[in-house]
Amino acid sequence: MYPLQRNRRLRTSAAIRDLVREHHLSPHDFIVPLFVVEGKNKKEAIPSMPGYFRYSMDGIIKQVKALWNLNIKAVLLFVKVEDAKKDNLGTEALRQEGLMQLTIGAIKEAVPEMVVMTDVALDPYSSYGHDGIVKEGKIDNDATVKILAEMALSHAAAGADVIAPSDMMDGRILSIRNTLESAGFVDTLIMSYSAKYASSFYGPFREALDSAPGFGDKKTYQMDFANRGEALTETLRDIEEGADLVMVKPGMAYLDILRDLKNTVNTPIAVYQVSGEYAMLKAAAEKGWLDHDAVMIEQLMSFKRAGATLIATYFAEEVVKNL
Ligand code: PBG
């Protein structure tokens, strides 16, 4: 009761504020998404993601070394596939000499301790731009799950540490887990995009990978952003099916979901601050409307406060240089 309690006492000086701060950011919090393209010496700008690039494998290796030197421990790989290699079967996704598989191997050779996480979903490989196999205008869940499990196995065989299915098919975690176990990959982790919403914040990413859906949208597999309880149903199921890490995606508009999960499960939770979130801040800062670094740190801290253990973000390198 005032004046016995004056809450402002705990804010009197920077030193006191440092002492009582509840949450902190460290390089170990971050997962860095990396976009890989075929070829050599390529560094391609992504117009809607200023300051972010697609690299050919040589550039990716340099990037991974630089990130490791910043004490960052995890990268999450996405590949951009040429149109000629896209089909409705995931053929290129399964090729052991595919761009993803070769990149995994090259990173593990160059920086063996870097934790290599790999995106598992068909959209970059799909002639329809969907995360699954299309049959008669619909996404065939069970046919897709079979391919995803094979895809996960090929990533594990190439040396991936963490398989990250981002497709939202039912039963894929169980199927991937069983496939990995039977093949002897008992230590390969699965990070499930367990609560992934059908979001318009993914726009710039789809531009980066040329992976926008050719027809319709992703609402029959990604979650309705009006729903909250469903995130728990999805996440609890994925943990039962064998996920080691779970995820909420997107980030900023979904902090309630993050906190719900944190209050309910003990599994480490990742949050994905997606491409549209990155683009918004870059655009506002370019106009001089927001203080880029201050807002970046405030947003990232909000994920920690809401309950995230890990944060996938395009700001990772910048923020770590800022800490
Ligand atoms: C595709 C995938 C998407 C993202 C990660 N994996 C896009 C989508 O679901 O359409 C989005 C990432 C971002 O926007 O930064 N499986």
Side-chain angles (χ1 to χ4, degrees):
M1 200 214 321
Y2 175 85
L4 300 183
Q5 270 131 18
R6 286 176 180 271
N7 294 337
R8 291 181 53 197
R9 277 187 212 117
L10 287 174
R11 298 175 213 137
T12 348
S13 68
I16 289 176
R17 291 193 296 274
D18 284 346
L19 290 172
V20 300
R21 185 163 299 121
E22 294 177 37
H23 297 284
H24 301 271
L25 291 168
S26 104
H28 304 169
D29 295 328
F30 298 110
I31 299 169
V32 185
L34 294 176
F35 300 135
V36 195
V37 283
E38 306 256 4
K40 278 209 170 89
N41 285 319
K42 286 203 182 140
K43 179 181 182 182
E44 302 174 351
I46 305 161
S48 54
M49 300 181 72
Y52 225 76
F53 301 90
R54 290 182 295 253
Y55 293 97
S56 49
M57 221 191 290
D58 48 304
I60 290 285
I61 297 300
K62 273 189 217 148
Q63 189 69 10
V64 170
K65 286 181 181 161
L67 293 169
W68 186 256
N69 287 334
L70 288 171
N71 241 339
I72 290 177
K73 310 287 184 191
V75 293
L76 175 57
L77 303 182
F78 296 92
V79 293
K80 180 168 186 277
V81 178
E82 304 157 35
D83 278 345
K85 291 188 174 162
K86 296 184 184 184
D87 61 20
N88 189 30
L89 302 164
T91 310
E92 180 62 17
L94 301 183
R95 206 158 59 85
Q96 208 56 52
E97 302 290 297
L99 183 58
M100 173 64 94
Q101 289 80 355
L102 294 179
T103 307
I104 297 166
I107 295 176
K108 291 308 289 185
E109 199 181 305
V111 190
E113 287 175 281
M114 180 62 91
V115 175
V116 175
M117 306 180 160
T118 61
D119 185 63
V120 167
L122 289 179
D123 50 324
Y125 302 96
S126 160
S127 40
Y128 291 107
H130 274 289
D131 290 26
I133 305 286
V134 178
K135 273 193 195 136
E136 290 160 15
K138 290 187 174 170
I139 311 305
D140 184 331
N141 190 88
D142 299 6
T144 302
V145 165
K146 279 200 190 104
I147 308 238
L148 295 177
E150 284 178 53
M151 190 175 169
L153 181 58
S154 90
H155 293 184
D161 301 291
V162 182
I163 304 298
S166 67
D167 55 286
M168 290 298 280
M169 297 300 128
D170 290 323
R172 90 266 208 229
I173 301 301
L174 181 62
S175 174
I176 290 172
R177 178 56 78 208
N178 284 334
T179 302
L180 292 174
E181 286 286 321
S182 325
F185 292 102
V186 298
D187 290 331
T188 306
L189 288 89
I190 301 176
M191 176 169 73
S192 171
Y193 286 63
S194 58
K196 177 173 178 179
Y197 286 85
S199 169
S200 296
F201 284 102
Y202 305 151
F205 173 95
R206 292 175 186 173
E207 183 193 337
L209 293 191
D210 181 27
S211 64
F215 70 88
D217 51 40
K218 298 192 174 185
K219 291 180 183 169
T220 69
Y221 42 108
Q222 298 177 350
M223 288 171 51
D224 181 346
F225 56 71
N227 295 350
R228 182 171 171 180
E230 196 183 0
L232 269 178
T233 309
E234 286 278 3
T235 300
L236 291 171
R237 176 59 40 80
D238 285 359
I239 294 170
E240 258 172 35
E241 290 186 16
D244 305 286
L245 301 156
V246 293
M247 188 195 280
V248 175
K249 179 181 175 186
M252 211 190 352
Y254 297 82
L255 294 180
D256 56 332
I257 308 301
L258 197 49
R259 176 43 62 178
D260 281 350
L261 297 194
K262 179 66 180 172
N263 288 344
T264 316
V265 305
N266 290 320
T267 308
I269 304 165
V271 65
Y272 199 139
Q273 185 188 44
V274 301
S275 56
E277 301 178 63
Y278 177 85
M280 282 197 303
L281 177 51
K282 289 291 172 190
E286 232 170 72
K287 285 192 172 284
W289 292 348
L290 287 178
D291 177 336
H292 179 278
D293 291 351
V295 173
M296 168 177 76
I297 288 179
E298 185 175 336
Q299 287 186 354
L300 295 169
M301 193 66 85
S302 78
F303 298 134
K304 295 292 295 278
R305 198 186 64 232
T309 300
L310 288 166
I311 305 169
T313 173
Y314 303 99
F315 289 115
E317 189 176 353
E318 270 176 284
V319 73
V320 167
K321 286 178 175 165
N322 239 280
L323 291 178

Coordinates of all heavy atoms in Angstrom, one line a residue, residues 126-163:
S126 N 6.5 -27.8 -55.0 CA 5.1 -28.1 -55.6 C 4.8 -27.2 -56.8 O 4.8 -26.0 -56.7 CB 4.1 -28.0 -54.5 OG 2.8 -27.8 -55.0
S127 N 4.4 -27.9 -57.9 CA 3.9 -27.1 -59.0 C 2.6 -26.3 -58.7 O 2.3 -25.4 -59.4 CB 3.7 -28.0 -60.2 OG 3.1 -29.2 -59.8
Y128 N 2.0 -26.7 -57.6 CA 0.8 -26.0 -57.2 C 1.1 -25.0 -56.1 O 0.2 -24.3 -55.6 CB -0.3 -27.0 -56.7 CG -0.9 -27.8 -57.7 CD1 -0.6 -29.2 -57.8 CD2 -1.9 -27.3 -58.6 CE1 -1.2 -30.0 -58.8 CE2 -2.4 -28.1 -59.6 CZ -2.1 -29.4 -59.6 OH -2.7 -30.2 -60.6
G129 N 2.3 -25.0 -55.6 CA 2.6 -24.1 -54.4 C 1.9 -24.4 -53.1 O 1.7 -23.6 -52.3
H130 N 1.5 -25.7 -53.0 CA 0.9 -26.1 -51.8 C 1.8 -27.0 -50.9 O 2.8 -27.6 -51.5 CB -0.4 -26.9 -52.0 CG -1.6 -25.9 -52.2 ND1 -2.1 -25.3 -51.1 CD2 -2.3 -25.5 -53.3 CE1 -3.1 -24.5 -51.5 NE2 -3.2 -24.6 -52.8
D131 N 1.5 -27.1 -49.7 CA 2.4 -27.9 -48.8 C 2.3 -29.4 -48.9 O 3.1 -30.1 -48.4 CB 2.2 -27.5 -47.3 CG 2.6 -26.1 -47.0 OD1 2.7 -25.2 -47.9 OD2 2.9 -25.8 -45.8
G132 N 1.2 -29.8 -49.7 CA 1.0 -31.2 -49.8 C 0.7 -31.6 -51.2 O 0.7 -30.8 -52.2
I133 N 0.4 -32.9 -51.4 CA 0.0 -33.4 -52.7 C -1.4 -33.0 -53.0 O -2.3 -33.2 -52.2 CB 0.1 -35.0 -52.6 CG1 1.4 -35.5 -52.2 CG2 -0.3 -35.6 -54.0 CD1 2.5 -35.4 -53.2
V134 N -1.6 -32.5 -54.2 CA -3.0 -32.1 -54.6 C -3.7 -33.2 -55.4 O -3.1 -33.8 -56.3 CB -2.9 -30.8 -55.5 CG1 -4.3 -30.4 -55.9 CG2 -2.2 -29.7 -54.7
K135 N -4.9 -33.5 -54.9 CA -5.7 -34.5 -55.7 C -7.1 -33.9 -55.9 O -7.7 -33.5 -54.9 CB -5.8 -35.8 -55.0 CG -4.7 -36.7 -55.3 CD -4.9 -38.2 -54.9 CE -3.5 -38.9 -55.0 NZ -3.3 -39.7 -53.8
E136 N -7.5 -33.7 -57.1 CA -8.8 -33.1 -57.4 C -9.1 -31.8 -56.6 O -10.1 -31.6 -56.0 CB -9.9 -34.1 -57.1 CG -9.9 -35.3 -58.1 CD -10.6 -36.5 -57.6 OE1 -11.4 -36.4 -56.6 OE2 -10.4 -37.6 -58.2
G137 N -8.1 -31.0 -56.7 CA -8.3 -29.6 -56.1 C -8.2 -29.6 -54.5 O -8.4 -28.6 -53.9
K138 N -7.9 -30.8 -53.9 CA -7.7 -30.8 -52.5 C -6.4 -31.3 -52.1 O -5.7 -32.0 -52.9 CB -8.8 -31.8 -51.9 CG -10.2 -31.3 -52.0 CD -11.1 -32.2 -51.3 CE -12.5 -31.6 -51.2 NZ -13.5 -32.6 -50.7
I139 N -6.0 -31.0 -50.8 CA -4.7 -31.5 -50.3 C -4.9 -32.9 -49.7 O -5.7 -33.0 -48.7 CB -4.1 -30.6 -49.3 CG1 -4.1 -29.1 -49.8 CG2 -2.7 -31.0 -48.9 CD1 -3.5 -28.8 -51.1
D140 N -4.3 -33.9 -50.2 CA -4.4 -35.3 -49.8 C -3.5 -35.5 -48.6 O -2.3 -35.7 -48.7 CB -4.1 -36.3 -50.9 CG -4.3 -37.7 -50.6 OD1 -4.2 -38.1 -49.4 OD2 -4.6 -38.5 -51.5
N141 N -4.1 -35.6 -47.4 CA -3.4 -35.6 -46.1 C -2.4 -36.8 -46.1 O -1.2 -36.7 -45.9 CB -4.3 -35.7 -45.0 CG -3.6 -35.5 -43.6 OD1 -3.5 -34.4 -43.1 ND2 -3.2 -36.6 -43.0
D142 N -3.0 -38.0 -46.3 CA -2.2 -39.2 -46.0 C -1.2 -39.5 -47.0 O -0.1 -40.0 -46.7 CB -3.2 -40.5 -45.9 CG -4.2 -40.3 -44.7 OD1 -4.2 -39.1 -44.1 OD2 -4.9 -41.2 -44.4
A143 N -1.5 -39.2 -48.3 CA -0.4 -39.3 -49.3 C 0.7 -38.3 -49.0 O 1.9 -38.6 -49.2 CB -1.0 -39.0 -50.7
T144 N 0.4 -37.1 -48.5 CA 1.4 -36.1 -48.2 C 2.3 -36.6 -47.1 O 3.5 -36.5 -47.1 CB 0.7 -34.8 -47.9 OG1 -0.1 -34.4 -48.9 CG2 1.7 -33.7 -47.5
V145 N 1.6 -37.2 -46.0 CA 2.4 -37.6 -44.9 C 3.5 -38.6 -45.2 O 4.6 -38.6 -44.7 CB 1.4 -38.1 -43.8 CG1 2.1 -38.9 -42.7 CG2 0.6 -37.0 -43.2
K146 N 3.1 -39.5 -46.1 CA 4.1 -40.5 -46.6 C 5.3 -39.9 -47.1 O 6.5 -40.2 -46.8 CB 3.5 -41.4 -47.6 CG 2.6 -42.5 -47.1 CD 2.5 -43.7 -48.1 CE 1.4 -44.6 -47.6 NZ 0.1 -44.5 -48.3
I147 N 5.1 -38.9 -48.0 CA 6.2 -38.2 -48.7 C 7.0 -37.4 -47.6 O 8.3 -37.3 -47.7 CB 5.7 -37.3 -49.8 CG1 4.8 -38.0 -50.7 CG2 6.9 -36.6 -50.5 CD1 5.2 -38.1 -52.1
L148 N 6.3 -36.7 -46.7 CA 7.0 -35.9 -45.7 C 7.9 -36.8 -44.9 O 9.0 -36.3 -44.5 CB 6.0 -35.2 -44.8 CG 5.1 -34.1 -45.5 CD1 4.1 -33.5 -44.6 CD2 6.0 -33.0 -46.2
A149 N 7.5 -38.0 -44.6 CA 8.3 -38.9 -43.7 C 9.6 -39.3 -44.5 O 10.7 -39.3 -43.9 CB 7.5 -40.1 -43.3
E150 N 9.4 -39.5 -45.8 CA 10.6 -39.9 -46.6 C 11.5 -38.7 -46.7 O 12.8 -38.8 -46.7 CB 10.2 -40.3 -48.0 CG 9.6 -41.6 -48.1 CD 9.2 -41.9 -49.6 OE1 10.0 -41.8 -50.5 OE2 8.0 -42.3 -49.8
M151 N 10.9 -37.5 -46.8 CA 11.7 -36.3 -47.0 C 12.5 -36.0 -45.7 O 13.7 -35.7 -45.7 CB 10.7 -35.1 -47.2 CG 11.3 -33.8 -47.6 SD 9.9 -32.7 -47.9 CE 10.8 -31.1 -48.0
A152 N 11.9 -36.2 -44.5 CA 12.5 -36.1 -43.3 C 13.7 -37.0 -43.1 O 14.8 -36.7 -42.7 CB 11.5 -36.3 -42.1
L153 N 13.4 -38.3 -43.6 CA 14.5 -39.3 -43.5 C 15.7 -38.9 -44.4 O 16.9 -39.0 -44.0 CB 13.9 -40.6 -44.0 CG 14.9 -41.8 -43.9 CD1 15.5 -42.0 -42.5 CD2 14.2 -43.1 -44.4
S154 N 15.4 -38.3 -45.6 CA 16.5 -37.9 -46.4 C 17.3 -36.8 -45.8 O 18.5 -36.7 -46.0 CB 16.0 -37.6 -47.8 OG 15.7 -36.3 -48.0
H155 N 16.6 -35.9 -45.1 CA 17.3 -34.8 -44.4 C 18.2 -35.4 -43.2 O 19.3 -34.9 -43.1 CB 16.3 -33.8 -43.8 CG 15.6 -33.0 -44.9 ND1 14.7 -32.0 -44.5 CD2 15.6 -33.1 -46.2 CE1 14.2 -31.5 -45.7 NE2 14.7 -32.2 -46.7
A156 N 17.6 -36.3 -42.5 CA 18.4 -36.9 -41.4 C 19.6 -37.6 -41.9 O 20.7 -37.5 -41.4 CB 17.5 -37.9 -40.6
A157 N 19.4 -38.3 -43.1 CA 20.5 -39.1 -43.7 C 21.6 -38.1 -44.1 O 22.8 -38.4 -44.1 CB 20.0 -39.9 -44.8
A158 N 21.2 -36.9 -44.6 CA 22.2 -35.9 -45.0 C 22.9 -35.2 -43.8 O 23.9 -34.5 -44.0 CB 21.5 -34.9 -45.9
G159 N 22.4 -35.5 -42.6 CA 23.0 -34.9 -41.4 C 22.3 -33.9 -40.6 O 22.8 -33.3 -39.7
A160 N 21.0 -33.7 -41.0 CA 20.2 -32.7 -40.3 C 20.1 -33.1 -38.8 O 19.9 -34.2 -38.5 CB 18.8 -32.5 -40.9
D161 N 20.1 -32.1 -37.9 CA 19.9 -32.3 -36.5 C 18.5 -32.3 -36.1 O 18.0 -33.0 -35.2 CB 20.7 -31.3 -35.7 CG 22.2 -31.3 -36.0 OD1 22.9 -32.3 -35.6 OD2 22.7 -30.3 -36.6
V162 N 17.8 -31.3 -36.7 CA 16.4 -31.1 -36.3 C 15.5 -31.0 -37.6 O 15.8 -30.2 -38.5 CB 16.2 -29.8 -35.6 CG1 14.8 -29.5 -35.1 CG2 17.2 -29.7 -34.4
I163 N 14.5 -31.9 -37.6 CA 13.5 -31.9 -38.7 C 12.4 -31.0 -38.3 O 11.8 -31.1 -37.2 CB 13.0 -33.3 -38.9 CG1 14.1 -34.3 -39.2 CG2 11.9 -33.4 -40.0 CD1 14.9 -34.0 -40.4

